[in-house]
Amino acid sequence: SLTSFSLLLLNLEEYYFEQHRANHIWHKDSHHERDILIFCVFLTFLDFYNVSLNFIQIPLRDCITIGKHGENGANRHFTKAKSGGISLIFSQVYFIKEHNVVAPYKIERGKMEYVFELDVPGKVEDVVETLLQVSTCWVENSKQTEITAILQSRLARTSFDKNRFQNICERLHMECKAEMVTPLVTNPGHVCITDTNLYFQPLNGYPKPVVQITLQDVRRIYKRRHGLMPLGLEVFCTEDDLCSDIYLKFYEPQDRDDLYFYIATYLEHHVAEHTAESYMLQWQRGHLSNYQYLLHLNNLADRSCNDLSQYPVFPWIIHDYSSSELDLSNPGTFRDLSKPVGALNKERLERLLTRYQEMHEPKFMYGSHYSSPGYVLFYLVRIAPEYMLCLQNGRFDNADRMFNSIAETWKNCLDGATDFKELIPEFYGDDVSFLVNSLKLDLGKRQGGQMVDDVELPPWASSPEDFLQKSKDALESSYVSEHLHEWIDLIFGYKQKGSDAVGAHNVFHPLTYEGGVDLTSIQDPDEKVAMLTQILEFGQTPKQLFVTPHPRRITPKFKSWSQTSSYNASMADSPVSPGEESFEDLTEESKTLAWDSIEIFLICVLLIIKLDSTLKMFSKESKMLQRSISFSNMALSSCLLLPGDATVISSSWDNNVYFYSIAFGRRQDTLMGHDDAVSKICWHDNRLYSASWDSTVKVWSGVPAEMPGTKRHHFDLLAELEHDVSVDTISLNAASTLLVSGTKEGTVNIWDLTTATLMHQIPCHSGIVCDTAFSPDSRHVLSTGADGCLNVIDVQTGMLISSMTSDEPQRCFVWDGNSVLSGSQSGELLIWDLLGAKISERIQGHTGAVTCIWMNEQCSSIITGGEDRQIIFWKLQY
């Protein structure tokens, strides 16, 4: 039986080729004792398992002779014989898992001979030939070249067994060679995808003959870097779990990309894709906890629990591990999240910077990384001891260097000359097993004489469960929520590379960064494997997700979260789903209700073809057109009603802004303030804001007439906001301290009106920006364009944090900060779920483009106008 066998018994970069059943023949008192064994051929070891005792590993590099039993002379040359025995004479052997107990490997040295008798004698020649072929690699110092050749030859001679298909009607779409990746192990085989299933068949049939995943169950797929190369693909059948269902590494990037494209095409109609920006928006608005958001960022940055060199990284949060009580209201309790671990100790940092200045290129500040396989297993040794033994050639670390105490580990990260490690997700999960030596492992004795056992907890934790709960509380605390974006800048963001990384004292060894070394340019296979091994063992910097400063969280609005399980917190992604509501055309009764809440409704009918320049006013009582006013022979672009409902302002393509007195029924004033068409106007607190195709936005101080209709307004130009091209739309935030403008070339500009300065310029559309608006809390800007895109921009940083597309221009919209109702070129109304990054509903409205939308403060009534000359009234139907 191979039930106790694990691929972790292999060395790194070692392949499991074959297995054969055999008897191990012992010579004792001239009698033969036979034990039942499993005989396996590996890349560098000949391993066999004695059911009653242990695994034994014989390094092929330590073999003196290999041949048929009973032959003399040069054992490498054998003749056909009836014997089914194989003889190995070697100088070193490893004994592993004696009595099935996980413990450091035992080594026996000296010249020895083992004889094996295969159950199938006819296989002897083939097995000996394979052993000689592999062992020759060590003699000729061409190990990797020969092993790669053997592996590729075996893969080329085999193909996926189509008898493994779940259904005889399945259609094959693609087959290629790949390796299944699990922690510290890669297993070669064949990948096959059909119209309904994804399959992987290991070349050696281990741990099972075929791995099968139904495409219908797939929820997420991600391209991965493996060894800093674009060769990985990870498939998830769950929404939130960190651990995937399969991780594949391909030999060619094109094979990876082809398989990804096929699965992604299948998922297009089933699963919504999430980006770092869409998760950021959810996190900012309190719909994701800090823990959830960090998990998502790790996932998007190629961090996987299947790859220990890219294991998910979490921050040290707590600084105080000595007090009897943990005070989460005290900022001194927390670590400074704006600095990497290596910069937290000022004296140590000064020494590191001195060395950095004296260093030749390429320079780096830290000789070790904040996340590596060794660090991950340092924390997890109590639940993954076999992984540690695999990584460290059969040994545990020195007892005094083990993960003995939380406080000791934190102190060493602050003071140690080469220790800059961060934490892993388990510190903020629910499973305490990594803190407890429940397997009763013999992890050694410390210098003080005490045995290494459970992890020593800080005084403020009464138990492992209490420690994790308080760690989770700290992660979700107000302080961390207000500062977590600073740590994200270091690990996933703009301070990860370049001059910003230097300024933040965040520079690691070049081999840890993507692009730090070009493995494809290394011709020698053994040199390439040595470099790859160094990369995998040293640790890798996450893929950069953000290139501008990460926005802060909107702390006053988020709730206090509590997790329900590690990696799978069952929380609602958003509050009331827009999909649970629908807009429907109003009945006559509904129209009456809508009219009752609106004193006057104004609509500028902008018809580019017909150039209709009329301002139309309707009565709520008669529901009939009351007035139709024409100011010029050119089209009107926008209109608004001043406070007091006495004056209407309208802008025109004739470069003017017109003031109309409702009480006196006549034009009251004309502002000739631009050199080209006025595209949009806004009014707030006696100030007029006008946008124009003359590439300016002007701010005017407007003094209203004392008696409506008797005196003209007086305007002074307060500011002129210069643009490079025509401005097509503007919008103010609620306090009128910020203004957003959209241009004909697709640029969105955010202005600080208190200083009349440009804060951000974001080229985010490929055509005209049709409409813009601030969120109710002024934290975000939304823009729509002729390219059909709907973009969300963070006001603080200017970062484009979400972009969704439709198949036609979106001319106008209204939104409440979470969901959006937009009017499209075809006349459809679209309801967008910003947090879910999708269109949740389509409603047929007008037969021509929707040109304007109005919504009341309660978000219960909607009025739309379109190029079909129709005004439609809507109500929110619950």
Side-chain angles (χ1 to χ4, degrees):
S1 168
L2 276 176
T3 54
S4 298
F5 177 77
S6 167
L7 292 178
L8 291 169
L9 296 178
L10 278 64
N11 278 0
L12 297 176
E13 297 303 318
E14 186 175 16
Y15 292 106
Y16 167 12
F17 281 152
E18 302 171 3
Q19 69 178 49
H20 301 277
R21 193 172 184 86
N23 291 320
H24 179 201
I25 304 174
W26 294 82
H27 296 275
K28 184 179 180 182
D29 298 330
S30 300
H31 296 288
H32 291 85
E33 291 186 1
R34 296 180 176 224
D35 291 329
I36 303 300
L37 302 145
I38 299 297
F39 182 89
C40 304
V41 178
F42 297 94
L43 183 148
T44 55
F45 286 94
L46 177 70
D47 290 21
F48 56 93
Y49 174 64
N50 184 315
V51 175
S52 62
L53 296 176
N54 47 250
F55 289 96
I56 301 174
Q57 288 185 337
I58 304 172
L60 291 178
R61 64 173 177 267
D62 295 327
C63 286
I64 301 170
T65 58
I66 301 172
K68 282 189 173 183
H69 179 53
E71 292 179 340
N72 39 26
N75 281 320
R76 296 181 183 277
H77 304 283
F78 54 87
T79 58
K80 293 184 178 180
K82 294 182 180 180
S83 170
I86 297 175
S87 170
L88 292 109
I89 300 176
F90 49 88
S91 59
Q92 184 171 261
V93 63
Y94 291 83
F95 297 91
I96 304 171
K97 291 183 71 173
E98 288 189 294
H99 307 291
N100 207 27
V101 174
V102 177
Y105 303 171
K106 294 182 179 179
I107 305 175
E108 185 177 325
R109 295 182 175 90
K111 188 174 181 180
M112 293 164 273
E113 179 182 10
Y114 278 12
V115 178
F116 307 95
E117 188 175 87
L118 297 186
D119 280 7
V120 183
K123 289 281 187 180
V124 170
E125 291 186 12
D126 292 339
V127 173
V128 172
E129 183 178 354
T130 300
L131 288 171
L132 291 172
Q133 186 180 20
V134 175
S135 62
T136 301
C137 303
W138 291 97
V139 177
E140 298 177 357
N141 198 27
S142 58
K143 173 171 67 77
Q144 191 58 41
T145 305
E146 291 297 327
I147 294 305
T148 300
I150 296 172
L151 175 62
Q152 293 301 323
S153 173
R154 290 180 176 228
L155 286 170
R157 294 197 310 267
T158 57
S159 62
F160 185 85
D161 181 3
K162 308 304 187 295
N163 292 321
R164 295 288 182 179
F165 282 177
Q166 294 289 302
N167 192 304
I168 58 173
C169 298
E170 285 185 67
R171 287 177 295 146
L172 175 66
H173 285 279
M174 177 183 173
E175 180 181 347
C176 64
K177 299 175 289 186
E179 296 177 6
M180 186 169 71
V181 178
T182 53
L184 301 181
V185 172
T186 59
N187 200 11
H190 295 276
V191 171
C192 177
I193 190 165
T194 69
D195 51 349
T196 56
N197 290 288
L198 170 68
Y199 297 95
F200 177 77
Q201 186 171 28
L203 188 63
N204 51 35
Y206 185 87
K208 56 184 180 179
V210 68
V211 177
Q212 177 257 329
I213 292 175
T214 304
L215 293 182
Q216 196 172 10
D217 294 337
V218 175
R219 289 294 170 266
R220 296 175 288 146
I221 56 170
Y222 297 98
K223 292 181 180 179
R224 296 290 193 218
R225 294 175 305 164
H226 189 273
L228 298 181
M229 298 281 286
L231 300 172
L233 182 71
E234 195 161 19
V235 180
F236 293 79
C237 292
T238 58
E239 292 289 355
D240 299 313
D241 281 359
L242 185 66
C243 296
S244 64
D245 290 81
I246 192 169
Y247 186 140
L248 297 170
K249 171 199 168 188
F250 295 79
Y251 296 105
E252 299 294 337
Q254 189 61 50
D255 288 339
R256 190 277 304 269
D257 293 344
D258 289 346
L259 190 69
Y260 176 89
F261 178 78
Y262 182 84
I263 300 177
T265 303
Y266 179 89
L267 294 182
E268 261 183 9
H269 310 291
H270 301 81
V271 180
E273 182 180 2
H274 288 284
T275 63
E277 290 77 18
S278 66
Y279 284 128
M280 180 205 296
L281 185 62
Q282 294 184 51
W283 171 74
Q284 267 198 295
R285 296 194 164 274
H287 298 281
L288 287 178
S289 66
N290 293 338
Y291 176 83
Q292 284 179 306
Y293 185 46
L294 290 177
L295 281 185
H296 287 307
L297 292 185
N298 272 283
N299 203 13
L300 292 170
D302 287 337
R303 314 301 286 188
S304 167
C305 60
N306 280 314
D307 185 353
L308 295 186
S309 67
Q310 298 189 92
Y311 202 80
V313 56
F314 269 59
W316 283 98
I317 292 295
I318 299 170
H319 177 81
D320 179 8
Y321 291 101
S322 58
S323 300
S324 58
E325 297 292 334
L326 187 66
D327 183 4
L328 296 183
S329 65
N330 178 12
T333 298
F334 299 93
R335 162 255 183 109
D336 185 348
L337 289 167
S338 68
K339 298 177 181 179
V341 169
L344 293 174
N345 182 323
K346 186 178 179 181
E347 294 180 0
R348 179 179 64 177
L349 178 61
E350 288 175 354
R351 294 194 298 270
L352 293 169
L353 290 179
T354 300
R355 187 190 67 173
Y356 174 76
Q357 297 299 332
E358 298 171 350
M359 192 179 294
H360 297 293
E361 294 291 344
K363 293 183 174 185
F364 54 89
M365 296 176 185
Y366 310 113
S368 62
H369 206 251
Y370 50 77
S371 177
S372 69
Y375 289 159
V376 174
L377 295 178
F378 168 85
Y379 292 126
L380 299 181
V381 65
R382 288 167 177 80
I383 57 173
E386 290 180 279
Y387 291 89
M388 178 65 84
L389 293 173
C390 175
L391 185 68
Q392 299 200 152
N393 299 315
R395 299 186 304 272
F396 289 132
D397 205 348
N398 179 280
D400 287 295
R401 292 197 299 266
M402 296 284 277
F403 181 32
N404 294 305
S405 159
I406 304 289
E408 281 183 17
T409 303
W410 170 241
K411 185 178 185 303
N412 201 52
C413 289
L414 287 181
D415 303 334
T418 60
D419 193 349
F420 316 109
K421 59 179 172 286
E422 292 278 10
L423 296 181
I424 55 176
E426 282 78 358
F427 278 81
Y428 305 101
D430 294 317
D431 187 355
V432 302
S433 57
F434 77 102
L435 299 170
V436 181
N437 186 16
S438 57
L439 298 178
K440 303 303 178 185
L441 300 169
D442 182 359
L443 298 174
K445 183 181 293 187
R446 303 187 66 180
Q447 287 185 354
Q450 67 271 37
M451 298 296 295
V452 176
D453 198 27
D454 297 346
V455 177
E456 182 183 339
L457 303 174
W460 46 257
S462 59
S463 66
E465 291 79 7
D466 186 48
F467 171 76
L468 290 190
Q469 184 58 56
K470 287 178 178 174
S471 296
K472 289 186 287 187
D473 293 342
L475 179 62
E476 305 302 335
S477 66
S478 296
Y479 179 89
V480 173
S481 293
E482 291 168 4
H483 295 277
L484 186 59
H485 65 284
E486 298 171 337
W487 187 81
I488 293 172
D489 284 336
L490 295 169
I491 306 302
F492 304 105
Y494 81 108
K495 291 183 179 179
Q496 186 193 91
K497 298 178 182 178
S499 59
D500 291 307
V502 176
H505 306 132
N506 195 39
V507 182
F508 294 86
H509 194 283
L511 283 181
T512 69
Y513 296 95
E514 187 174 15
V517 61
D518 182 10
L519 288 172
T520 60
S521 66
I522 302 176
Q523 300 300 318
D524 182 82
D526 291 324
E527 183 184 346
K528 181 181 290 188
V529 167
M531 180 64 71
L532 179 61
T533 301
Q534 185 177 356
I535 290 170
L536 294 176
E537 292 184 357
F538 195 83
Q540 297 175 51
T541 300
K543 183 170 70 177
Q544 190 173 26
L545 299 179
F546 309 106
V547 294
T548 57
H550 191 286
R552 295 181 60 173
R553 193 171 195 187
I554 306 170
T555 50
K557 292 200 174 252
F558 76 92
K559 303 174 184 177
S560 175
W561 295 89
S562 61
Q563 286 174 237
T564 57
S565 62
S566 179
Y567 301 138
N568 188 16
S570 60
M571 304 178 207
D573 286 339
S574 61
V576 179
S577 169
E580 295 174 359
E581 306 165 352
S582 63
F583 288 92
E584 64 174 51
D585 215 343
L586 285 173
T587 61
E588 194 63 36
E589 179 185 3
S590 299
K591 290 181 182 179
T592 302
L593 292 173
W595 277 112
D596 287 342
S597 64
I598 304 168
E599 290 294 329
I600 300 173
F601 179 70
L602 307 168
I603 184 164
C604 298
V605 183
L606 172 58
L607 295 175
I608 297 176
I609 298 174
K610 297 182 179 180
L611 296 179
D612 190 333
S613 59
T614 57
L615 175 70
K616 301 177 189 273
M617 302 177 64
F618 296 83
S619 166
K620 69 169 186 177
E621 287 83 9
S622 64
K623 305 179 184 60
M624 299 294 290
L625 178 66
Q626 294 292 301
R627 296 180 189 176
S628 182
I629 309 102
S630 181
F631 295 121
S632 78
N633 59 358
M634 298 190 72
L636 303 180
S637 57
S638 68
C639 62
L640 56 86
L641 185 64
L642 290 187
D645 299 344
T647 304
V648 175
I649 309 178
S650 183
S651 58
S652 173
W653 284 7
D654 66 3
N655 310 353
N656 297 327
V657 178
Y658 297 98
F659 294 77
Y660 177 82
S661 171
I662 297 175
F664 290 88
R666 66 171 182 249
R667 185 172 67 189
Q668 187 176 357
D669 203 351
T670 301
L671 174 64
M672 295 177 284
H674 288 277
D675 299 324
D676 205 338
V678 181
S679 54
K680 184 76 179 286
I681 54 174
C682 297
W683 179 278
H684 185 269
D685 197 20
N686 289 333
R687 290 191 179 184
L688 174 69
Y689 304 82
S690 58
S692 172
W693 294 355
D694 65 7
S695 305
T696 66
V697 174
K698 294 183 178 181
V699 184
W700 309 86
S701 172
V703 180
E706 295 177 6
M707 294 292 293
T710 60
K711 290 187 178 181
R712 292 174 173 265
H713 293 73
H714 175 71
F715 289 95
D716 292 322
L717 181 62
L718 299 179
E720 186 169 331
L721 311 180
E722 294 283 352
H723 294 68
D724 297 329
V725 293
S726 301
V727 183
D728 283 270
T729 184
I730 56 173
S731 181
L732 299 170
N733 71 337
S736 291
T737 56
L738 300 173
L739 179 143
V740 58
S741 59
T743 70
K744 75 169 187 178
E745 292 187 354
T747 301
V748 173
N749 305 278
I750 302 176
W751 299 83
D752 182 349
L753 291 177
T754 61
T755 58
T757 55
L758 180 65
M759 295 171 58
H760 304 292
Q761 190 173 50
I762 308 102
C764 55
H765 291 278
S766 58
I768 293 173
V769 180
C770 297
D771 200 4
T772 58
F774 285 89
S775 60
D777 58 10
S778 300
R779 300 273 185 166
H780 298 106
V781 161
L782 184 71
S783 65
T784 57
D787 56 3
C789 287
L790 187 143
N791 295 326
V792 180
I793 299 164
D794 181 75
V795 171
Q796 179 196 10
T797 63
M799 180 186 291
L800 178 66
I801 61 175
S802 179
S803 184
M804 292 166 282
T805 58
S806 61
D807 51 8
E808 60 178 329
Q810 300 300 307
R811 295 280 295 272
C812 52
F813 67 86
V814 289
W815 74 319
D816 62 1
N818 289 330
S819 55
V820 177
L821 175 69
S822 68
S824 61
Q825 184 70 29
S826 66
E828 267 192 327
L829 298 177
L830 305 183
I831 302 176
W832 304 71
D833 175 8
L834 290 187
L835 299 178
K838 63 184 178 181
I839 298 173
S840 59
E841 193 168 347
R842 293 175 179 267
I843 306 143
Q844 187 56 48
H846 294 263
T847 57
V850 182
T851 56
C852 57
I853 302 180
W854 174 91
M855 180 171 66
N856 66 350
E857 290 185 3
Q858 294 76 27
C859 304
S860 58
S861 297
I862 303 287
I863 304 176
T864 61
E867 287 184 354
D868 59 1
R869 294 179 173 270
Q870 298 295 311
I871 300 172
I872 303 178
F873 302 82
W874 313 76
K875 73 174 179 179
L876 197 59
Q877 189 71 31
Y878 296 97

